[in-house]
Amino acid sequence: MSAGELLEIEPAELKFPFELRKQITCSLQLSNKSDDHIAFKVKTTNPKKYCVRPNNGIVLPRSTCDVAVTMQAQREAPIDIQCKDKFLVQSAVVEPGTLAKDITAEMFSRESGNKVDDVKLRVVYVSPPQPPSPVHEGSDEGSSPRASLSETNNAETSEPAVQARAYATDQEENYPEAKTLASKLTEEKNTAVQQSLMEEKNVAIQQGNKLREEIELLRLELSKKKSSGSFSFIFVVIMALLGVIVGYLLKA
């Protein structure tokens, strides 16, 4: 707090958490502890850089007035984060009923006969506040980093993963019975396949023997009637028999 003769000003320094390309506002509070009406006016050495609202006004007896000082967004950081800008708060005792629109520069001149006061304020850049580091909910104080990492590994600690591991454990415990059942089913399947192949083989053998018998009979019949005129009939019979054989082979 800067205690002038007429107004108490808080804070004593204008502290801006400096960030590039960001508009930043700092507040001033002007307090009138007297029974007089105090007019004030705020000036700066760099008016293009700052916006002051209100830049003048009347502080009533036993009351306060808040002033917002806004620094425009800056494109370059100052060397060593140092600022040479300064502010001047002028104050003067005025007649009751004086309004802000009635304030003139002459009111703050000592030659005017008014009781006046000047308070200088400097500008200070400070580092912007850092965001708090993330803390996992439910974590115990003093827990080791390894424990924290395992707690945040959703793939290992999630409920589905736990259930999957439990299921795998149960399967491992029951694995011998499952293996025996699988072996039994495989053996039964192989036996059924072998039986089916044997049956098909026996049927093929029987049909082959029958076919050989029919061919032998046909050969004998053909030899008996070789010299007769019924050769063309025998040829037709042979072709028909061959057709039956081909049809059977295609069916097989």
Side-chain angles (χ1 to χ4, degrees), residues 71-92:
M71 182 177 68
Q72 305 301 320
Q74 301 298 301
R75 296 183 179 181
E76 297 180 357
I79 300 176
D80 298 330
I81 312 296
Q82 298 295 322
C83 183
K84 296 181 180 180
D85 300 333
K86 292 182 174 59
F87 280 79
L88 176 65
V89 180
Q90 296 179 306
S91 57

Side-chain angles (χ1 to χ4, degrees), residues 130-183:
Q130 298 297 325
S133 58
V135 179
H136 298 289
E137 294 183 0
S139 62
D140 295 333
E141 185 177 357
S143 59
S144 64
R146 177 178 293 274
S148 299
L149 289 175
S150 63
E151 290 174 1
T152 58
N153 192 336
N154 294 332
E156 295 183 0
T157 60
S158 61
E159 184 175 354
V162 174
Q163 293 178 352
R165 287 199 297 270
Y167 177 79
T169 303
D170 293 341
Q171 292 301 312
E172 291 177 357
E173 294 176 354
N174 297 329
Y175 182 75
E177 297 181 1
K179 184 176 181 180
T180 301
L181 179 59
S183 299

